């Protein structure tokens, strides 16, 4: 046998390569497990409205012709559950298509203008007051459609989970922009504040059914912020209200 000599440097390099390889395998496994979990959660979440729809359809078949009150209740339930399924599938598609930096269509975005547009649209939809306060220039290079979606999710939630006015405050700093969305609504219990950003998490599932919640909004919001190298966080007190803060770097993404 011919003895193979491996010098010390080559040996170190091989060990490093081995470590990198193991690390890559761990990352792949972690990603794969997350995808598996997502598919399983998604199937479970879609099954619930589907069960409601099929049970009401059966009720309709049996009593719908003779009892108008059953007809009305069943049609309303089928309509609202179908809408929820549609929202959920659209949001799942948004998550699956990956809100990553590579998928951004970058242009100059004026966050104050975007916030004013969303405030007007949602204020009208809810017939409520949404105040926008803008301090300093707040323009960055980002994906206008996705940043609008991020603002929409947070302002829509603020209106959905409160009954009074909602306030948006935007501050432009040297190299970042901060956006605060404040409501005086039901608030989020301390133990749930980290979990609200997880997929499908809802503090109160029964209430979420009535408001049409899917539990995906905040995870999409966080994915959009991180694709822009930013973050979203929450401070909240039960019964007093919540403040969601988005921080976006204003000089990071190049056109
Ligand atoms: P949903 O479609 O249920 O609103 P989200 O992912 O947007 O899903 O939010 C997750 C959960 O976080 C909601 O179901 C609700 O319990 C809670 N939540 C989000 N925003 C607020 C808010 N502004 N005030 C109180 N609770 C909130």
């Amino acid at each position: 046998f011919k003895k193979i000599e491996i010098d010390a440097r080559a040996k170190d390099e091989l060990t490093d390569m081995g470590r990198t390889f193991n690390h890559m395998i761990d990352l792949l496994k972690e990603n794969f497990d997350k995808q598996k979990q997502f598919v399983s959660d998604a199937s479970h979440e879609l099954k619930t409205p589907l069960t409601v729809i099929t049970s009401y359809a059966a009720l309709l078949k049996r009593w719908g012709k003779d009892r108008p009150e059953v007809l009305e209740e069943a049609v309303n339930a089928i309509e609202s559950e179908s809408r929820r399924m549609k929202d959920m599938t659209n949001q799942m598609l948004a998550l699956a298509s990956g809100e990553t930096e590579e998928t951004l269509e970058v242009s100059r975005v004026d966050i104050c203008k975007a916030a004013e547009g969303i405030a007007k649209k949602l204020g009208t939809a809810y017939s409520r007051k949404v105040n926008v306060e803008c301090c300093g220039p707040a323009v960055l290079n980002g994906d206008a459609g996705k940043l609008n979606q991020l603002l929409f999710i947070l302002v829509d939630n603020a209106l959905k989970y409160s009954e009074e006015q909602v306030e948006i405050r935007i501050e432009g700093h040297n190299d970042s922009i901060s956006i605060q969305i404040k409501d005086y609504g039901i608030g989020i219990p301390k133990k749930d504040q980290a979990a609200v950003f997880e997929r499908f998490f809802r503090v109160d599932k029964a209430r979420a059914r009535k408001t049409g919640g899917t539990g995906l909004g905040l995870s999409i919001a966080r994915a959009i912020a991180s694709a822009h190298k930013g973050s979203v966080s929450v401070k909240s007190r039960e019964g007093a209200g919540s403040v969601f803060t988005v921080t976006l770097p204003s000089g990071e993404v190049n056109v």
Side-chain angles (χ1 to χ4, degrees):
F1 292 103
K2 217 169 142 192
K3 198 173 165 203
I4 301 171
E5 296 282 346
I6 300 178
D7 68 25
R9 229 184 72 214
K11 209 169 155 188
D12 283 351
E13 266 172 27
L14 278 172
T15 317
D16 277 352
M17 270 169 67
R19 260 195 222 116
T20 313
F21 184 72
N22 282 341
H23 181 61
M24 274 166 59
I25 296 283
D26 284 347
L27 284 179
L28 277 172
K29 191 174 170 309
E30 197 182 309
N31 249 315
F32 183 68
D33 288 345
K34 270 193 196 151
Q35 295 288 347
K36 241 170 63 182
Q37 187 63 43
F38 180 56
V39 172
S40 137
D41 290 348
S43 324
H44 176 77
E45 292 290 333
L46 285 170
K47 247 191 221 158
T48 320
L50 208 52
T51 310
V52 178
I53 291 172
T54 43
S55 342
Y56 270 109
L59 206 68
L60 208 53
K61 213 170 167 185
R62 183 144 186 216
W63 303 107
K65 275 201 214 99
D66 312 317
R67 293 174 52 183
E69 74 280 9
V70 171
L71 180 80
E72 194 182 337
E73 188 188 330
V75 170
N76 286 342
I78 290 175
E79 200 179 38
S80 77
E81 289 301 306
S82 315
R83 203 176 311 123
R84 228 162 75 80
M85 277 184 88
K86 191 173 146 214
D87 288 349
M88 213 183 275
T89 37
N90 282 340
Q91 289 182 320
M92 282 194 288
L93 282 173
L95 274 174
S97 75
E99 306 283 10
T100 57
E101 201 181 332
E102 295 84 63
T103 62
L104 298 184
E105 283 178 33
V106 179
S107 64
R108 293 294 278 170
V109 183
D110 184 332
I111 296 292
C112 286
K113 271 203 188 129
E116 272 153 16
I118 300 277
K120 204 167 162 200
K121 201 181 336 178
L122 283 172
T124 311
Y126 281 81
S127 309
R128 299 251 302 278
K129 212 165 163 192
V130 181
N131 280 336
V132 183
E133 191 185 349
C134 231
C135 308
V139 182
L140 54 74
N141 295 327
D143 187 313
K146 289 190 171 143
L147 290 171
N148 264 291
Q149 192 185 1
L150 163 63
L151 291 171
F152 188 98
I153 291 168
L154 296 177
V155 178
D156 187 42
N157 276 351
L159 287 160
K160 220 162 48 173
Y161 299 107
S162 75
E163 277 163 9
E164 287 165 47
Q165 70 173 48
V166 163
E167 288 155 18
I168 309 177
R169 184 182 161 84
I170 297 155
E171 281 174 31
H173 305 290
N174 274 348
D175 52 5
S176 71
I177 295 169
S178 91
I179 312 161
Q180 286 198 333
I181 291 114
K182 184 172 184 177
D183 68 64
Y184 301 91
I186 60 171
I188 303 166
K190 197 142 200 78
K191 66 172 177 41
D192 294 326
Q193 286 175 15
V196 291
F197 295 99
E198 283 167 18
R199 290 165 182 185
F200 302 113
F201 181 88
R202 278 152 290 180
V203 173
D204 179 348
K205 288 219 175 203
R207 187 192 168 99
R209 294 199 77 72
K210 273 188 238 139
T211 51
T214 60
L216 287 172
L218 287 178
S219 48
I220 295 176
R222 183 163 265 183
I224 294 174
S226 58
H228 286 82
K229 296 197 164 73
S231 62
V232 189
S233 60
V234 65
K235 280 207 172 104
S236 183
R237 209 148 51 85
E238 247 188 307
S242 312
V243 184
F244 281 83
T245 305
V246 183
T247 309
L248 298 167
S250 44
E252 288 276 326
V253 190
N254 296 314
V255 188

